[in-house]
Amino acid sequence: MITIRLKDGKEKEFESAVSLADAAKAISNSLGKNALVAKVNGELTDLRDPIVDGAEVEFFTKEDPEGLFTLRHTASHVMAQAIQHLFPGVKFAIGPAIDDGFYYDLDSDHVFSQEDFAAIEKEMSKIAKENIPLVKKVLPRDEALQYFKDKGQDYKVILIEDLPEEETISLYEQGDFTDLCAGPHLKSTGKVKTFKLMTVAGAYWRGDSKNKMLQRIYATAFFSKEDLDHYLFVRAEAEKRDHRKLGKQLDLFSFHEEGPGFPFFHPKGMILRNKLMDYERELFKEFGYVEIMTPVILSKKLWLQSGHWDHYKENMYFTQIDDEDYAIKPMNCPGGILFFKTQQRSYRDLPMRVGEFGLVHRHELKGALHGLFRVRCFTQDDAHIFMTQEQMKDEVIKCMAMYQKMYGVFGLEYHVELSTRPENSMGSDELWEISTNALREAIETAGVPYQINEGDGAFYGPKLDFHVQDSLGRTWQCGTIQMDMQLPERFDVNYIGEDGEKHRAVMLHRAGYGSLERFIGILIEHYAGAFPTWIAPVQAKIIPVTDKNLEYAKSVAAAMSESDIRVEVEEANETLGYKIRKAQMEKVPYMIIVGDQEMKSHTISVRSRKNGDLGSQSLPMFVANLIREIKEREN
């Protein structure tokens, strides 16, 4: 008898090693009909594969991300088969499913362009309608090598040669197309009905610029046309909201070839940046933080002691001072520890919550740089909480409460992942277990749903990662809460306990925005540049109808500035329509139009970005309402 254990804990027995597909049918008709792929002991596995005695098995349908992944993986094979039909002689490299679709890397004399997409999609539809079965075959190494050599598929030969000798080599055959692939796949091509080819780009073989440049065709696939249409809408909307374009249009920041990956913040960008920092400083006060600032450059000795030199060196920048090696800090934590150790701390001082807006530098490859989302220097809204082991759980719960406020003011929902010990880590199993359990107990006590992200913790400790969801439904990893019992060991971070003896402190690393630069990029796209009034660089634009109304416009601006409202006067000698369109392009929350009638009645005419024409108002009333809106941080 062969026994498998299902996700709900129930066990199912079989007389022989039937396929996972047959196992699904035996469990229930519905599951047998709808299951597309399974996880066996945590590994995504093809339904064609046999069950394994004692294995934990979970089945997935088209409603699950794993089901969509499998559809897209099969769609990549359908696209490759279509290309083989239309462009004989193409050499295929790799064609994986990715987060938002799939791609295939190709070596071909034909230069692919979007003009080819319609023909490829038409051929893909034909292949889907034929509902060709995908047949999995396992071949001996020599036989698989010879097969692809005979086909002239050089990249497949290289891939097989690089596999370990004991590796199982599987091929998937669909009609006249056969590909080297570990799977998993759908049973046939029939479900690959809704897809779209997106772009074509260059990609070096294996990502190495020393290798040949291949052509990469990106595409996507869904189970329904509605899902595809929504994806295309979000993609088009995201292009309009691209923070790099809006950052230039709104005069927030810039990049220069004299400093690739190093952002320049302009005056309006600094207002936005400072408002975010001011808000977090209010949270610092509410949740009991002090604020410090530590140096950007520190000695090699410090980074050796912290472990960064051994575990993070490839991401660091270096210099020499007085013939000694120094590094530009990639993280703020060692500096925070040096601050803590300037005095002998007592248990009465703990927990000590130490915040810092620390500028860090981390090396990124030039090709990976992407606006404010991927830079080489950024400011972390960092904090380090020094505490006793007994305080670990409560401090994590307080951090989560702080994040709930922080993200809520921007209308950002979020989900949380518990990231566990990675392979490249330091410290004992015992300390890792204590740290991981503290995070798990805290998040469960707080009643916050979470997922496990195996092996994605920091090298010094497990962490909770907070993924915020923007107005387009996209998720971004922002906040983190990292439990660290390793650095306190390395730096002998201690406190005097109630018993008068020294005890080892625990250190918690937390950052809410994560990176100020990245968070600003997220907000630009979340709001499409139309920021809430409280963080808008310009809160009101005063527009005189003609030049003879300019002095009155300036007096209105002066009165508003006295109430700390950020205001600009449009002084361009242009038509009223032009001035209004310009203010709309600048996405200011309020336009105040003043002409002869307003001058005569000492009033203003107000237009709201959100609600349109608000009509004539007295200036004091408008200012009072605007101050209330700013104070309440209306989103």
Side-chain angles (χ1 to χ4, degrees), residues 83-84 87-92 105-108 110 112 152-153:
I83 290 170
Q84 178 180 272
F87 304 94
V90 170
K91 294 181 179 180
F92 297 97
D105 287 345
L106 313 167
D107 185 355
S108 173
H110 176 77
F112 287 92
Q153 292 294 338

Side-chain angles (χ1 to χ4, degrees), residues 76-223:
S76 76
H77 282 221
V78 172
M79 183 174 76
Q81 186 177 18
I83 290 170
Q84 178 180 272
H85 289 173
L86 298 171
F87 304 94
V90 170
K91 294 181 179 180
F92 297 97
I94 58 171
I98 54 177
D99 284 347
D100 59 353
F102 59 93
Y103 68 80
Y104 221 116
D105 287 345
L106 313 167
D107 185 355
S108 173
D109 292 335
H110 176 77
V111 179
F112 287 92
S113 71
Q114 295 208 1
E115 293 178 0
D116 298 312
F117 287 1
I120 296 172
E121 288 174 345
K122 184 177 179 181
E123 187 66 18
M124 289 175 69
S125 294
K126 181 181 173 184
I127 293 166
K129 285 177 183 176
E130 291 174 1
N131 199 23
I132 304 168
L134 277 82
V135 180
K136 182 176 182 179
K137 294 184 175 181
V138 177
L139 295 183
R141 185 187 192 87
D142 291 345
E143 200 174 315
L145 277 170
Q146 192 59 52
Y147 176 85
F148 285 108
K149 284 179 181 177
D150 292 344
K151 291 284 187 180
Q153 292 294 338
D154 302 340
Y155 298 98
K156 305 298 181 183
V157 171
I158 294 170
L159 290 169
I160 294 171
E161 288 176 341
D162 287 351
L163 289 173
E165 287 288 340
E166 68 278 5
E167 188 79 16
T168 299
I169 297 174
S170 60
L171 282 63
Y172 280 81
E173 181 182 276
Q174 58 191 63
D176 60 1
F177 177 76
T178 302
D179 204 354
L180 173 72
C181 188
H185 283 286
L186 302 179
K187 297 175 185 177
S188 66
T189 62
K191 289 188 183 295
V192 186
K193 297 175 182 177
T194 308
F195 50 81
K196 185 170 179 61
L197 274 60
M198 304 301 299
T199 58
V200 60
Y204 290 110
W205 167 236
R206 290 187 160 169
D208 189 339
S209 60
K210 296 176 183 176
N211 292 334
K212 186 172 183 177
M213 174 72 79
L214 305 178
Q215 299 180 73
R216 176 174 293 178
I217 296 180
Y218 286 97
T220 193
F222 291 89
F223 285 106

Side-chain angles (χ1 to χ4, degrees), residues 294-310:
T294 61
V296 172
I297 299 175
L298 294 165
S299 71
K300 174 182 177 179
K301 181 176 71 173
L302 179 77
W303 301 111
L304 281 169
Q305 187 176 359
S306 70
H308 289 87
W309 198 272
D310 295 324

